[in-house]
Amino acid sequence: MFGFAFSKAWAYLTLTRSVPMAQNLSLLNFEAASALAAMCIALLALTLTPSRVKSKLSPISFGALIAAAFILFAAPAFPEMAFMLNTVGNLLAAVGVMGLAALWTDLYALLNPIRATFFASGSVVLSWFICFALEANPTGRLFVLLCVIALLAWGSYRKSTQAVVDELHQADDRRCRPIIPYRAVLFIASYSLAYGLMLGLVPFSGPGISESRTLPALLVLIILLASAKRFNVRMLYNIAFPTMAGGILIVALLPGVPVGVSAPLINFSYGAMNLMVTVVACTISYASSTSALWVFGLFVAVQYVFKLLGELLCQVIAALFWSGGADGATALVAIAFVVVASIVMLTEKSAFSQWGANVHAGSGDGTEEDPVAHVRTRIDDLSQAYQLTQREIEVLHLMAEGKTNHGIAQDMFIAESTVKVHVQHIYQKLDVHSRKELARLLGMPDANAS
């Protein structure tokens, strides 16, 4: 949690202090570079094994952070070269920030989605406190502190990786299966287009922006701490989506809302969106056993590309309605995309949903793995990770074979009521709520058709 928080704090403190005279252009450069970096991460995940991707991405990301901080903080001292330095610095910053976000998401994806949600939301909240404590420092001291933060993030990642691998006995290093969760992609694209459109009507920056982006994560974190074992990942969807849709719709339907109200609303919804991207990527990876590096890279590339397209579309609408009415037309188009995102979201109720991905059990290296062997391996991994008892493991194997509670009771020579207790314990430990969700979690070939 602290390691990811250090990474997020670094991004905010660096980008908000870099070349203030070209802040809007800096943001555009950073987002375009982020989309490109995310695409590269996704392609690397398809061509290399996860361990090789992470071994290359880790030093590149942390090196890019140090170099970007140095260039961006030095740029104001060279006004004649400010544009070039700003462009290079934002490119390096995007590589470092996207690389670290992908690495942390890949690490969180090994955990139960509830734990992943807790760490993801907690890191956002912690990063705000780190920024609040450090942002008042003068430039020179802040640069040194940013270098320290980058080193702390790097050390935290190495330590956390080892801890998770030891806990879960994670030794699988097969190549990624290029699944396409098209519903998630459609949701992210629709929302990002709407958000990009609204940026043409509402200033991006201003007082309270960082706080409004932190509030969704704080809300999720409070609910997680309060509800503990009763928390379900679906609750995150129920919390995050109304804030995303509501934030845009309020501004779109009430164009006279003051900027001091509308900007925080839009950024509140954007903070929820960023949290959703991370958690959904972790959940899909956890449920399908595919690489989170691929899923995260795909999602972030879609998010930034369609956000930039939304900003471009806003300008096109303004040109078409040059005589007036551009704001109303932009708001209507944004609402249309929110409706599309709403329809997609409402069809995804399961915590372990594949979001439309056609997942097949395969090794990912060009050879097909025996589906039965894949399920057995998955059961062994989950049994170790979540400390299932021997009886629960036996029941889980029989459930994977499609046997009913009555059939399991006959095979194990135990009462059917005892089987129901074992099934309930399995559901609680694995955070599933039906045999269909369990089939998806085990990566069974016919899970989507069931």
Side-chain angles (χ1 to χ4, degrees):
M1 186 186 297
F2 276 92
F4 203 5
F6 288 136
S7 304
K8 291 177 179 292
W10 184 96
Y12 177 81
L13 291 170
T14 301
L15 295 175
T16 54
R17 294 290 288 265
S18 64
V19 196
M21 60 184 177
Q23 190 64 41
N24 291 334
L25 186 59
S26 297
L27 181 63
L28 180 62
N29 289 339
F30 175 77
E31 293 182 343
S34 295
L36 180 61
M39 292 178 190
C40 292
I41 291 170
L43 292 175
L44 280 175
L46 292 181
T47 56
L48 301 176
T49 60
S51 61
R52 291 190 64 188
V53 175
K54 287 181 278 190
S55 67
K56 295 178 180 295
L57 193 58
S58 177
I60 291 174
S61 299
F62 290 108
L65 291 185
I66 301 296
F70 179 80
I71 293 174
L72 291 174
F73 274 73
F78 304 92
E80 68 282 357
M81 302 174 61
F83 177 78
M84 182 188 69
L85 291 175
N86 186 59
T87 302
V88 174
N90 276 279
L91 177 62
L92 289 171
V95 171
V97 171
M98 290 299 105
L100 282 180
L103 289 171
W104 282 110
T105 303
D106 179 73
L107 184 62
Y108 288 170
L110 299 177
L111 305 173
N112 180 290
I114 292 179
R115 296 175 67 189
T117 304
F118 176 78
F119 289 133
S121 57
S123 66
V124 175
V125 176
L126 280 172
S127 68
W128 182 87
F129 284 102
I130 295 171
C131 292
F132 179 78
L134 300 182
E135 63 184 351
N137 281 280
T139 301
R141 186 185 300 170
L142 183 59
F143 170 74
V144 174
L145 290 172
L146 286 171
C147 293
V148 173
I149 286 177
L151 291 174
L152 288 173
W154 177 70
S156 299
Y157 174 75
R158 288 176 59 89
K159 192 75 172 178
S160 300
T161 301
Q162 189 59 50
V164 171
V165 169
D166 288 346
E167 177 185 348
L168 302 184
H169 308 284
Q170 188 76 19
D172 184 26
D173 198 25
R174 295 170 294 181
R175 285 190 180 179
C176 170
R177 291 171 289 154
I179 66 171
I180 306 293
Y182 69 90
R183 289 179 183 172
V185 170
L186 179 59
F187 167 76
I188 294 170
S190 300
Y191 175 79
S192 298
L193 269 169
Y195 179 73
L197 281 163
M198 296 311 297
L199 288 182
L201 305 180
V202 181
F204 182 86
S205 59
I209 295 305
S210 61
E211 290 81 0
S212 59
R213 289 189 178 182
T214 305
L215 281 177
L218 180 60
L219 179 61
V220 170
L221 187 62
I222 291 173
I223 293 176
L224 268 171
L225 293 173
S227 57
K229 294 182 180 180
R230 292 179 294 147
F231 181 83
N232 186 289
V233 178
R234 282 176 292 189
M235 291 175 62
L236 173 63
Y237 303 157
N238 296 334
I239 295 168
F241 181 66
T243 63
M244 288 188 288
I248 288 180
L249 289 174
I250 288 174
V251 175
L253 295 173
L254 302 173
V257 173
V259 172
V261 175
S262 58
L265 282 174
I266 289 293
N267 283 278
F268 182 88
S269 65
Y270 189 68
M273 174 64 177
N274 285 334
L275 184 60
M276 281 286 293
V277 168
T278 301
V279 173
V280 171
C282 290
T283 303
I284 291 176
S285 177
Y286 178 85
S288 64
S289 301
T290 195
S291 171
L293 295 170
W294 156 252
V295 180
F296 177 82
L298 174 66
F299 284 1
V300 173
V302 170
Q303 180 183 2
Y304 279 109
V305 167
F306 279 85
K307 176 178 173 294
L308 292 172
L309 287 176
E311 295 183 62
L312 178 62
L313 181 58
C314 182
Q315 297 178 11
V316 171
I317 294 174
L320 292 175
F321 291 83
W322 59 271
S323 60
D327 288 358
T330 301
L332 288 175
V333 176
I335 291 173
F337 284 119
V338 169
V339 170
V340 173
S342 302
I343 294 172
V344 175
M345 172 62 73
L346 292 174
T347 61
E348 297 297 333
K349 296 290 188 180
S350 171
F352 292 101
S353 175
Q354 302 289 348
W355 289 78
N358 186 18
V359 180
H360 298 283
S363 62
D365 58 0
T367 62
E368 290 299 320
E369 182 184 0
D370 178 12
V372 175
H374 169 83
V375 172
R376 287 175 179 170
T377 301
R378 183 71 169 151
I379 290 174
D380 291 341
D381 292 342
L382 292 171
S383 300
Q384 293 182 17
Y386 299 101
Q387 299 179 352
L388 270 61
T389 65
Q390 186 58 42
R391 276 298 200 186
E392 290 167 353
I393 295 172
E394 294 173 14
V395 171
L396 184 55
H397 275 286
L398 293 173
M399 292 175 69
E401 294 176 12
K403 297 199 173 184
T404 63
N405 290 351
H406 180 70
I408 295 172
Q410 287 184 327
D411 285 1
M412 296 182 65
F413 302 101
I414 58 178
E416 188 171 346
S417 59
T418 305
V419 174
K420 291 180 179 179
V421 172
H422 288 315
V423 171
Q424 183 180 7
H425 290 166
I426 291 170
Y427 282 0
Q428 288 176 345
K429 290 182 179 181
L430 300 184
D431 189 33
V432 297
H433 308 86
S434 67
R435 291 191 179 233
K436 185 176 181 180
E437 288 188 16
L438 181 63
R440 287 172 172 166
L441 179 59
L442 296 179
M444 296 171 67
D446 58 346
N448 291 328
S450 61

